[in-house]
Amino acid sequence: MKIEQNRIDDLNLELALTVTKEDYSDSRKKRLSEYRKKAEIKGFRKGMVPMSLVEKMYGQTALVDAVNDVIAEGLNNYIQENNFRVLGEPLPSEEHIQNEWNDGNDFNFKFDLALNPEVSFELSSADEVPYYTITVTEAAKNEMKNNLLKQYGSLEDGEAAKEEDFIIVDFEQGDMKVEGTYVALRNVAEAARASFVGVKAGDVLDVNVNEAFENETDRSSMLKVSKEELANLDPMFKMTVKNVKTFVNAPLVEETFEKIFGVKTEAEFNAKIEERIRAEYAQEADFRFSKDAKTFLLEKADVTVAEKFLKRWVYVVNEGKFSMEDIEKDWDLFIADYKWQMVRSYLMNKYEVKIEEADLLASAKGFAAYQFAMYGMNNVPDEQLESFAKNILSQEEQGRRILDQVENEKTFAAVREVVTLKKKKISVEKFRELK
């Protein structure tokens, strides 16, 4: 097969292919022989169909398949021989070439090919990336302390209901009575909430349930009827308050300190709070550093990509799952990520960044611990965390996410050792206003 190269620019090539009879004839004959072995035609034993009949039935298909085989092998060899760093894979040219598909003919094709650029740049201590140190304030410590005590608090009997309280009520309307319904005052419609605030056990109110409880699902559950039955109900009910429940913070006692942080005194409890805040702020600062470093590195690398070709390739490879409009809509994020993967790969190779199984497991365990903590479980045994982490890594999508995260973390850690961190103290409020 003959291939002629026309270089459009540094990243885009056009390949003109000529496939001759000598290129495809052997492959075509082999395919026809395979068709003959498998053909089941009435009047002939399997494998004994005359080749003339096989040729008549399958000749065109065998020709097309054989030519495609030659093209695929030829393009692959050409790419390897020229050491091309190919973006995606070659695409048939948008310029259509007419061929007459007859055995013995030569066939001409054009393919577009795009190359990934070579990434190469140096880093040194002369390169500066900002790194923020977030100030821990007494207000932040008090806020976390209050939140933790609230998280480990309990519902207790109260007097007059406040906006964050619950009331236990009976609803009555004629012969219909619904007893012991829990009502969260924060779920009462704002226009009606004032009449609920301040109620005490024994109070009786006339309530329009449609106005007070606008969510139909909540209303049907509260009155223990179906949504269909709601439509036929008179919305006016007599509501009798049986009890008020208020959420009380956990007390500042040793049992609470032990339960939350495994310590015994309030001083130790306060120290653990500050330690947690500093750890959270450090995580936020590290995340911000990775964002700033990523921006810096992309600008430093100044990677140029054959974007027009890449858009076509993304469209073709996804077989119509996305329209070109869909691709354009998310293009800025996609191309930034595509460039970052090239830059990251270069840096990992340059600084010999290796990803070990232990790195992935540690990251997955951290994610698992975070998920447990979201539900107030802060002291999960290590073996349980490890089991949960291994399950995360076994899931294809989650496993890819963890790998991507670890590659980023280790790459930024390597970069951090080379560049200069331009340290800046900042309040948490100002930090979170950063774009």
Side-chain angles (χ1 to χ4, degrees):
M1 183 177 70
K2 181 182 177 183
I3 299 180
E4 293 182 350
Q5 179 190 133
N6 175 27
R7 185 171 283 272
I8 308 300
D9 55 38
D10 289 344
L11 298 177
N12 291 280
L13 309 175
E14 182 184 75
L15 302 179
L17 282 61
T18 301
V19 181
T20 67
K21 181 180 179 179
E22 288 72 24
D23 295 322
Y24 64 77
S25 59
D26 288 346
S27 177
R28 182 175 180 273
K29 288 176 184 176
K30 184 178 178 182
R31 284 183 174 275
L32 286 173
S33 295
E34 291 171 354
Y35 281 130
R36 187 185 186 203
K37 290 177 186 176
K38 297 175 183 176
E40 295 183 9
I41 300 175
K42 190 174 181 181
F44 300 97
R45 285 184 293 163
K46 187 175 181 181
M48 300 301 291
V49 180
M51 184 57 79
S52 59
L53 184 55
V54 174
E55 172 85 37
K56 185 176 180 180
M57 295 177 66
Y58 300 110
Q60 189 80 350
T61 301
L63 174 62
V64 172
D65 289 345
V67 170
N68 283 333
D69 286 345
V70 172
I71 291 171
E73 183 179 0
L75 285 173
N76 186 56
N77 290 339
Y78 188 80
I79 288 167
Q80 290 184 6
E81 288 165 5
N82 288 276
N83 295 316
F84 286 149
R85 298 183 302 276
V86 178
L87 187 162
E89 57 193 4
L91 293 177
S93 173
E94 293 177 307
E95 176 190 342
H96 182 66
I97 298 178
Q98 191 69 37
N99 284 297
E100 290 187 12
W101 285 88
N102 296 319
D103 184 29
N105 285 358
D106 290 348
F107 301 97
N108 297 301
F109 306 91
K110 282 188 177 179
F111 280 83
D112 295 328
L113 183 70
L115 307 177
N116 275 320
E118 182 179 0
V119 180
S120 181
F121 61 95
E122 296 297 324
L123 292 174
S124 72
S125 58
D127 295 304
E128 293 185 339
V129 181
Y131 187 88
Y132 296 93
T133 301
I134 307 171
T135 306
V136 178
T137 63
E138 288 301 316
K141 289 188 279 189
N142 290 335
E143 181 182 4
M144 177 172 280
K145 187 173 188 177
N146 185 60
N147 288 340
L148 284 169
L149 294 175
K150 186 180 291 185
Q151 182 182 337
Y152 285 85
S154 58
L155 275 176
E156 297 182 7
D157 290 341
E159 292 292 329
K162 300 182 289 296
E163 286 204 10
E164 292 299 313
D165 288 346
F166 296 79
I167 53 176
I168 303 172
V169 303
D170 294 342
F171 286 105
E172 291 182 75
Q173 185 190 96
D175 294 334
M176 179 182 177
K177 185 171 183 180
V178 182
E179 298 180 319
T181 296
Y182 267 74
V183 174
L185 267 64
R186 63 176 176 273
N187 292 337
V188 177
E190 192 171 346
R193 196 177 302 153
S195 60
F196 283 72
V197 174
V199 297
K200 300 177 181 179
D203 287 352
V204 179
L205 290 78
D206 290 324
V207 175
N208 184 319
V209 292
N210 289 355
E211 294 176 355
F213 309 103
E214 295 173 327
N215 185 292
E216 192 178 64
T217 301
D218 291 346
R219 194 161 69 246
S220 66
S221 174
M222 184 176 63
L223 296 175
K224 297 181 173 61
V225 297
S226 67
K227 290 183 180 180
E228 292 72 24
E229 291 174 302
L230 278 178
N232 300 319
L233 282 181
D234 180 344
M236 293 304 301
F237 279 79
K238 182 175 78 172
M239 186 184 81
T240 304
V241 180
K242 308 300 290 183
N243 202 354
V244 174
K245 290 289 186 180
T246 188
F247 204 86
V248 178
N249 285 359
L252 286 167
V253 295
E254 183 178 326
E255 183 182 353
T256 301
F257 307 147
E258 184 77 41
K259 187 184 294 183
I260 298 175
F261 285 129
V263 297
K264 296 185 179 299
T265 68
E266 186 172 359
E268 291 174 313
F269 182 68
N270 291 338
K272 284 289 185 182
I273 288 171
E274 182 168 350
E275 181 183 319
R276 176 178 285 191
I277 292 173
R278 290 192 184 280
E280 289 180 1
Y281 284 177
Q283 279 189 326
E284 291 188 59
D286 286 344
F287 180 79
R288 180 70 206 193
F289 168 78
S290 68
K291 182 179 178 181
D292 290 335
K294 185 176 180 179
T295 300
F296 172 80
L297 292 165
L298 285 171
E299 290 176 357
K300 182 94 172 175
D302 193 22
V303 176
T304 301
V305 175
E307 294 193 36
K308 184 179 178 182
F309 178 92
L310 183 55
K311 287 176 185 177
R312 270 185 66 205
W313 182 77
V314 170
Y315 177 78
V316 170
V317 80
N318 282 287
E319 300 178 332
K321 292 177 185 175
F322 308 108
S323 67
M324 286 304 294
E325 290 75 18
D326 293 332
I327 293 169
E328 288 286 357
K329 184 175 63 177
D330 297 323
W331 188 250
D332 287 346
L333 291 174
F334 176 87
I335 195 64
D337 185 61
Y338 187 86
K339 290 179 179 180
W340 169 243
Q341 288 181 45
M342 285 192 288
V343 171
R344 184 179 66 191
S345 178
Y346 167 74
L347 291 168
M348 289 179 70
N349 183 61
K350 182 177 179 66
Y351 295 115
E352 299 181 346
V353 175
K354 305 296 182 186
I355 307 299
E356 307 290 345
E357 188 175 336
D359 299 321
L360 299 175
L361 186 61
S363 182
K365 283 173 72 174
F367 178 65
Y370 171 78
Q371 288 192 313
F372 281 119
M374 292 284 286
Y375 294 96
M377 302 167 66
N378 294 301
N379 298 304
V380 180
D382 189 70
E383 60 271 18
Q384 189 174 345
L385 281 179
E386 185 160 328
S387 175
F388 200 81
K390 287 178 178 177
N391 181 56
I392 291 171
L393 292 173
S394 70
Q395 300 170 38
E396 185 178 354
E397 187 174 340
Q398 290 276 47
R400 278 201 308 268
R401 184 188 61 77
I402 293 290
L403 174 61
D404 188 67
Q405 178 180 307
V406 172
E407 286 186 344
N408 278 341
E409 288 172 354
K410 296 198 76 171
T411 300
F412 289 128
V415 168
R416 193 167 168 169
E417 293 298 313
V418 180
V419 302
T420 296
L421 300 186
K422 193 174 181 180
K423 296 185 178 181
K424 303 178 181 180
K425 286 190 175 182
I426 192 171
S427 69
V428 70
E429 293 80 14
K430 291 291 184 184
F431 178 83
R432 289 171 184 167
E433 288 175 4
L434 295 172
K435 293 182 180 179

